[in-house]
């Protein structure tokens, strides 16, 4: 058992025994050695199920909206990216800070179980990488908010996040359109990207509405493009760059290209601003607040 797993179990057990929290959101081993699946622990005896290993890639913060209408206090394990999602949920008033006990994990990077699934099933001949793609450009491996923390502090990766965005920006408008329409034509509208997203936390999602049906469910190029544009704009300035949408996409659409273009634009046009870094009042996303000196050259 790793030190982090032992520490995680000890903390969860203590919090449940002393009644500080009613439940703990963590990870437990799944059917395969490369799966550490999200789990909920309510009994101190079950703390022994918890693990913290190199496969704990799922963002537990994305589960918090399921508990928004309840009152119990929740302990949640949070890597750097997860902690930014928690900040966003608090700012979006989905979950009050007082209802959370955040157990931070200084994160050395995770492996992507999906790559192991594909290799094991023969769907891919590629050897799974030592680190998930999203972790190769991680700027905040250490939690930005926590009540207690485990693991050694980690260094951020070299910031190459916008290299692919720069390439897209150098294309002509027609080339860009062709590029994205080709990528989005592969979308099967499974909504895995939306479901994995901590910024997609509306009670009723526009894509589920049928009266009126704003975006048709057919997977034709126009409706697929509409889906992607609307979702990207909805998370503009709120995306915490956790990379879970792209990782969840079963057909490998490079969703982070779209997200990072908007992260770059929001940062340059309305910032400097990166989502989910602080709970201070002035850290509310620029597109979620009004100021009399907001830029208005476009009007
Ligand atoms: S993105 Fe950063 S914090 Fe998140 S799993 Fe990867 S290395 Fe850890
Ligand atoms: S849009 Fe993707 S990267 Fe951004 S918060 Fe949602 S899941 Fe994470
Ligand atoms: S996860 Fe991929 S295929 Fe599914 S809706 Fe999102 S972009 Fe489309």
């Amino acid at each position: 058992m790793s030190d982090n797993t032992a520490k995680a179990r000890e903390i969860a057990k203590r919090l449940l025994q002393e009644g500080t929290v009613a439940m703990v959101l963590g990870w437990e081993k799944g059917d395969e050695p490369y799966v550490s699946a999200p789990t909920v622990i309510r009994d101190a005896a079950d703390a022994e199920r918890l693990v913290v290993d190199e496969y704990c890639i799922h963002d537990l913060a994305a589960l918090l909206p399921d508990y928004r209408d309840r009152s119990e206090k929740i302990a949640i394990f949070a890597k750097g990216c997860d902690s930014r999602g928690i900040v966003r949920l608090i700012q979006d008033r989905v979950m009050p800070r007082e209802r959370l006990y955040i157990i931070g994990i200084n994160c050395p990077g995770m492996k992507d179980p999906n790559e192991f699934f594909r290799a094991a099933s023969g769907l891919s001949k590629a050897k799974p990488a030592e680190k998930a793609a999203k972790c190769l450009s991680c700027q905040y491996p250490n939690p930005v908010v926590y009540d207690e923390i485990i693991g050694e502090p980690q260094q951020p990766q070299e910031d190459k996040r916008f290299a692919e965005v720069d390439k897209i920006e150098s294309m002509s408008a027609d080339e860009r359109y062709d590029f994205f329409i080709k990528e989005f034509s592969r979308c099967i509208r499974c909504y895995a990207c939306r479901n994995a997203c901590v910024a997609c936390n509306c009670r009723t999602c526009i894509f589920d509405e049928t009266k009126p049906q704003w975006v048709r469910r057919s997977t034709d190029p126009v409706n697929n493009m509409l889906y992607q544009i609307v979702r990207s704009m909805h998370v503009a300035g709120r995306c915490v760059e956790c990379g879970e949408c792209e990782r969840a996409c079963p057909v490998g659409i490079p969703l982070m290209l779209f997200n990072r273009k908007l992260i770059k634009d929001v940062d340059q046009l309305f910032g400097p601003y990166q989502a989910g870094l602080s709970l201070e009042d002035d850290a509310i996303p620029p597109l979620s607040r009004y100021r009399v000196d907001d830029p208005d050259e476009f009007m």
Side-chain angles (χ1 to χ4, degrees):
M1 190 202 318
S2 74
D3 283 354
N4 281 353
T5 293
K7 189 80 183 147
R9 291 178 182 180
E10 182 192 312
I11 294 170
K13 196 169 170 185
R14 188 191 78 227
L15 292 173
L16 287 166
Q17 274 176 342
E18 66 193 16
T20 305
V21 300
M23 55 188 281
V24 179
L25 292 179
W27 302 273
E28 66 178 335
K29 286 317 286 181
D31 294 337
E32 304 290 349
Y34 48 81
V35 174
S36 296
T39 191
V40 181
I41 302 283
R42 291 180 179 275
D43 187 328
D46 290 335
E48 294 305 307
R49 292 189 353 228
L50 292 172
V51 291
V52 175
D53 65 11
E54 68 270 41
Y55 299 105
C56 294
I57 197 165
H58 294 94
D59 182 351
L60 301 177
L63 304 178
L64 286 176
D66 290 347
Y67 300 93
R68 70 167 100 194
D69 293 326
R70 298 157 69 135
S71 58
E72 74 265 68
K73 187 151 179 165
I74 301 169
I76 180 169
F77 288 91
K79 311 179 295 290
C81 53
D82 310 342
S83 73
R84 294 180 65 189
I86 291 173
V87 168
R88 289 281 34 268
L89 290 171
I90 294 169
Q91 286 172 332
D92 281 351
R93 308 203 193 291
V94 172
M95 184 63 60
R97 176 69 179 93
E98 313 77 72
R99 277 194 59 205
L100 295 175
Y101 190 96
I102 303 166
I103 309 156
I105 297 173
N106 289 319
C107 177
M110 294 288 148
K111 296 179 178 172
D112 185 351
N114 294 351
E115 292 180 14
F116 288 79
F117 270 126
R118 287 186 205 113
S121 65
L123 273 172
S124 167
K125 301 247 178 297
K127 191 167 167 260
E130 278 305 302
K131 259 190 200 181
K134 72 178 199 170
C135 302
L136 298 176
S137 54
C138 177
Q139 299 302 296
Y140 295 94
N142 306 316
V144 297
V145 58
Y146 55 86
D147 294 298
E148 60 185 296
I149 193 157
I150 59 181
E152 294 301 317
Q154 303 291 318
Q155 292 300 316
Q157 301 293 312
E158 187 187 343
D159 193 354
K160 294 182 287 195
R161 293 173 300 155
F162 301 112
E164 292 302 310
V165 175
D166 294 344
K167 281 188 206 164
I168 296 292
E169 285 176 341
S170 69
M171 292 176 177
S172 68
D174 285 346
E175 286 169 338
R176 264 203 303 270
Y177 181 81
D178 289 346
F179 174 85
F180 280 112
I181 206 85
K182 193 168 159 214
E183 288 293 344
F184 295 155
S185 70
R186 296 189 290 118
C187 174
I188 55 173
R189 301 284 288 286
C190 64
Y191 296 148
C193 50
R194 176 197 67 176
N195 296 348
C197 178
V198 74
C200 278
N201 55 46
C202 297
R203 283 180 184 273
T204 305
C205 175
I206 182 174
F207 304 116
D208 291 335
E209 283 194 341
T210 51
K211 287 183 182 174
Q213 188 172 45
W214 300 100
V215 182
R216 289 181 56 197
R217 291 183 178 170
S218 49
T219 54
D220 55 87
V222 169
N223 280 287
N224 277 1
M225 180 67 95
L226 196 53
Y227 167 66
Q228 299 292 350
I229 291 173
V230 171
R231 199 183 94 79
S232 305
M233 293 308 293
H234 278 195
V235 300
R238 301 167 57 248
C239 166
V240 293
E241 252 184 303
C242 70
E244 284 294 275
C245 50
E246 184 172 286
R247 198 179 69 77
C249 179
V251 293
I253 296 174
L255 298 170
M256 290 308 289
L257 256 183
F258 236 38
N259 295 335
R260 288 210 167 106
K261 167 65 176 155
L262 288 165
I263 287 167
K264 184 178 171 185
D265 284 354
V266 168
D267 186 46
Q268 290 181 350
L269 297 172
F270 301 97
Y273 185 78
Q274 301 285 309
L277 294 185
S278 165
L279 283 168
E280 299 299 319
D281 279 350
D282 62 357
I284 290 169
L287 304 186
S288 303
R289 68 180 175 221
Y290 170 74
R291 282 184 175 156
V292 285
D293 59 346
D294 276 342
D296 60 0
E297 297 82 28
F298 53 91
M299 293 179 80

